[in-house]
Structure formats: C-alpha cells, structure tokens
Amino acid sequence: LEVVPDYPMAYFSIGNAYRKKFGSSKNLQDLKEAETNLLKARELAPQNPQFALELGIMYSQQLAVSDKDNEDRYQKEAVKHWK
C-alpha cells in the first residue's frame, strides 16, 4: 500500500485476512478491521462483484451473528452490497 495506495486488491486481501483471523480469535475488532478494508476495496473498485459479495457475506454471516445489538443494521448493509 505504500507503493500503490489505491490498489483495491490489497485492501480486499487484508480484509479477508482479518475475516480469517476472526475465525480463530472471535474478536469483534478483527471483523471491524475487515469491514474497513473491504469497504475501501469496494470504494476503489465499485464495479468488482467479488468485493460486493464478500462484504455481503461478512455482514450477514459474521457481523450480524457476532454483534447481535447491531444485527438489523448489518443485514441491511448486506442487502445494500448485494444489489
């Protein structure tokens, strides 16, 4: 990212790494880091369907389940990215 700060695949990869880390850590902060990086990837390449799909999956299958206080918001975010 230091060399090419606007490289969406780098943000996507970092986001997925945090999602995988969450699988073993169960630390909600890992999902928040994943969200930040996946959103940046989507911002840089909004036409990439893979980025939208991964965001939707993360919102509906991980964040909504792990953060019950915000479940409705995450489900709405998932739908937004799948449209």
Side-chain angles (χ1 to χ4, degrees):
L1 291 173
E2 289 180 18
V3 176
V4 184
D6 292 335
Y7 184 55
M9 191 53 96
Y11 289 99
F12 179 74
S13 296
I14 292 167
N16 278 331
Y18 274 108
R19 284 181 63 207
K20 288 180 183 173
K21 182 180 176 189
F22 171 77
S24 59
S25 74
K26 302 302 181 209
N27 182 344
L28 192 56
Q29 187 57 38
D30 291 333
L31 285 181
K32 298 294 185 176
E33 290 292 333
E35 178 184 29
T36 297
N37 283 282
L38 291 173
L39 285 170
K40 182 66 175 179
R42 181 105 162 102
E43 174 189 320
L44 293 171
Q47 74 286 359
N48 188 319
Q50 184 179 12
F51 297 170
L53 177 64
E54 291 299 321
L55 269 167
I57 290 169
M58 181 192 65
Y59 281 125
S60 68
Q61 294 180 1
Q62 290 179 302
L63 277 167
V65 172
S66 302
D67 186 3
K68 289 291 188 184
D69 292 339
N70 294 301
E71 181 178 10
D72 289 340
R73 181 176 74 83
Y74 293 131
Q75 292 296 355
K76 288 176 184 169
E77 285 294 321
V79 170
K80 181 174 85 174
H81 290 285
W82 284 337
K83 286 185 177 183

